Amino acid sequence: AVVSTQSTGEEDEEEALVCRVYFWQGRDSSKMSWPQFSLSSFRAQIKEKIGGTMPVEEVRCYQQQESLKFLSYFKGRFIIHKGKRPSPSSTAVPAGPVKPRLYQIRQNGNILAQRCVEIGCTSILLNSGFCYILKVPLEREEQTSYILYVWVGSKSSEDLMTAAIQIGNDSFAECDTVTVLYEGNNEPQIFWDALGGRRNYETNADWLDIIRLFRCSNEKGYFAVTEEFKWPDFCQDHLLDEDSMILDSGTDVFVWIGETSSEVVRKLALKSAQLYMQHVADLTGQPRKLSIVKRGKENLKFIKLFHGWGQFRARDKDTDP
C-alpha cells in the first residue's frame, strides 16, 4: 500500500490523504490473480485498517506497463524476476542444478522508466549500450553460494552504470561477492561460461533514441494508424493479436502481423509502412529496410528492441503464477 496526497480542489481546505493500493500482475501470472485478490481477506484487511481514516483507491497494473508514478516509488530499483516467488514456509529443495540468471537494466526514454528485468541467460543478448547483472551459482557441498557480476557496457550512460552498481550492491543480499566488470576489460572466463560462451552481440543501442511503435487497427469501424507512446516505454504485450503494428528502429521498419488480425488490416498496415518509409526517407535522407514479422516467428533483430522479451502467452489457456 502506498499513501499519497491528493488535492481536494479547494484552496482553503487541507489536502486529503488517499491510500493507493497497487496490484501488480506479472505477465506469466494466472488470469485468476485479480479475482482472487478482489475476494481475498488481505484486501478486506486493508480497507478495514485504513478505510476508516482515508479513502482507499485500488490500481491494477501489468508487468512493464506500469505508470511512471508507480515506478517512481522504487527509485530506479524495480526488479522483475522470472518464475514463482518461493513460499516463506517452503522447505523444498529445487530440482536439478541451480542455473545462472541474467538481468538487463534499461531506461526506456525516461529516467523513471528504468527497470531491471531478467532475460535469457546468453551472451548474444548483451548490448554495449546497457548494463547487466549476472548471478552465478557456485555449488559447495550441500550449500549454494553466488557470485554477482555487474557488467557495464562501454556505451552505457553514467546514470545507468550508477544504477546498475547500486542494484547489484543493495538488492542481491544472497550473493557473497559483487564484482563490477567493464566491457572489454578482461572479463573472467567464468563470466562467459555462465552465459553459455562468448558470442557476438550488439555494440550500440542508438535505436533507443529513434524507435517508434504504431498500432494499425480497425476497432473503431475504420482503419487507423496511431502512435500511442510519447517515449519508447512499450513492451511485448503491447503487440495485440487482433492488430498489426509498425515498428521503426531507425534502420529497419517492421510490420508485425497479429495472429487474428484481418486480411484488410494486414494489407493496409503494409501500405501504411511503405508510405511511412517514403516520407522518412524524403525527410531525413535515411532509407529504411522493410521486413514483415509474424507473431511467434520474430527474429533477434526484432526481439532486441523490446526489454525482457519472452514467450507469448497461450491465447485460450491460463497459466499458473
Side-chain angles (χ1 to χ4, degrees):
V2 179
V3 179
S4 60
T5 59
Q6 178 176 304
S7 175
T8 61
E10 299 291 337
E11 294 184 0
D12 56 345
E13 292 184 10
E14 294 184 357
E15 290 186 334
L17 283 177
V18 176
C19 175
R20 184 171 289 113
V21 179
Y22 287 91
F23 179 87
W24 183 87
Q25 189 163 346
R27 69 185 311 268
D28 295 328
S29 65
S30 168
K31 295 177 182 177
M32 294 302 296
S33 298
W34 174 252
Q36 288 172 351
F37 169 74
S38 299
L39 298 173
S40 68
S41 59
F42 175 69
R43 179 174 181 258
Q45 289 171 8
I46 293 175
K47 291 203 169 188
E48 182 180 347
K49 291 181 178 180
I50 303 176
T53 58
M54 67 184 77
V56 177
E57 176 185 331
E58 295 177 353
V59 181
R60 184 183 185 184
C61 58
Y62 298 89
Q63 177 177 331
Q64 290 175 265
Q65 300 179 54
E66 305 90 357
S67 66
L68 293 182
K69 187 176 185 63
F70 174 85
L71 291 172
S72 68
Y73 296 124
F74 295 87
K75 303 184 186 303
R77 302 182 188 183
F78 188 64
I79 304 173
I80 301 176
H81 305 274
K82 287 184 178 180
K84 291 183 177 181
R85 179 187 295 273
S87 171
S89 59
S90 175
T91 58
V93 178
V98 181
K99 297 181 179 180
R101 308 181 75 166
L102 180 66
Y103 299 79
Q104 183 188 53
I105 303 168
R106 174 167 154 180
Q107 293 175 356
N108 293 326
N110 188 300
I111 193 171
L112 290 177
Q114 178 176 289
R115 301 174 181 85
C116 177
V117 181
E118 184 175 358
I119 61 175
C121 195
T122 170
S123 59
I124 201 171
L125 295 180
L126 296 178
N127 188 307
S128 302
F130 302 122
C131 295
Y132 296 79
I133 288 177
L134 177 64
K135 182 179 174 182
V136 182
L138 297 175
E139 301 289 346
R140 294 178 179 173
E141 298 179 354
E142 297 182 357
Q143 186 177 5
T144 301
S145 58
Y146 297 92
I147 296 176
L148 196 77
Y149 292 106
V150 179
W151 188 83
V152 178
S154 60
K155 297 180 181 177
S156 61
S157 68
E158 187 174 342
D159 287 343
L160 201 62
M161 177 187 69
T162 301
I165 295 173
Q166 286 179 342
I167 291 173
N169 285 324
D170 300 341
S171 302
F172 291 85
E174 69 276 18
C175 296
D176 295 336
T177 61
V178 177
T179 303
V180 180
L181 303 176
Y182 296 92
E183 181 185 4
N185 193 19
N186 297 321
E187 294 94 335
Q189 189 58 41
I190 187 176
F191 174 82
W192 297 115
D193 288 344
L195 293 173
R198 184 167 188 165
R199 302 173 64 184
N200 293 332
Y201 55 82
E202 294 288 328
T203 56
N204 74 76
D206 295 342
W207 44 263
L208 195 60
D209 297 324
I210 305 170
I211 191 170
R212 302 175 71 181
L213 180 67
F214 302 88
R215 179 188 179 196
C216 304
S217 174
N218 61 357
E219 69 173 357
K220 295 182 179 179
Y222 56 87
F223 179 78
V225 180
T226 55
E227 185 175 19
E228 301 183 351
F229 300 93
K230 295 180 180 178
W231 49 79
D233 189 27
F234 49 78
C235 70
Q236 178 182 354
D237 291 331
H238 287 113
L239 304 177
L240 304 177
D241 272 345
E242 62 272 19
D243 296 332
S244 291
M245 314 292 285
I246 297 173
L247 182 63
D248 179 11
S249 70
T251 56
D252 297 86
V253 169
F254 301 92
V255 178
W256 182 87
I257 306 299
E259 191 173 34
T260 60
S261 60
S262 68
E263 194 65 29
V264 172
V265 168
R266 297 181 185 191
K267 289 181 178 180
L268 291 177
L270 179 58
K271 183 62 177 178
S272 299
Q274 292 169 337
L275 292 173
Y276 171 80
M277 291 172 63
Q278 182 179 346
H279 171 72
V280 171
D282 292 342
L283 197 64
T284 65
Q286 297 178 344
R288 266 71 158 162
K289 180 182 178 182
L290 180 63
S291 298
I292 298 176
V293 180
K294 292 185 178 180
R295 180 193 185 275
K297 297 183 178 180
E298 298 83 0
N299 57 26
L300 183 61
K301 185 181 285 189
F302 182 85
I303 288 173
K304 72 175 184 180
L305 304 173
F306 293 81
H307 194 187
W309 184 275
Q311 294 292 324
F312 280 102
R313 294 187 62 162
R315 294 183 62 248
D316 298 320
K317 295 180 180 180
D318 197 9
T319 55
D320 292 328

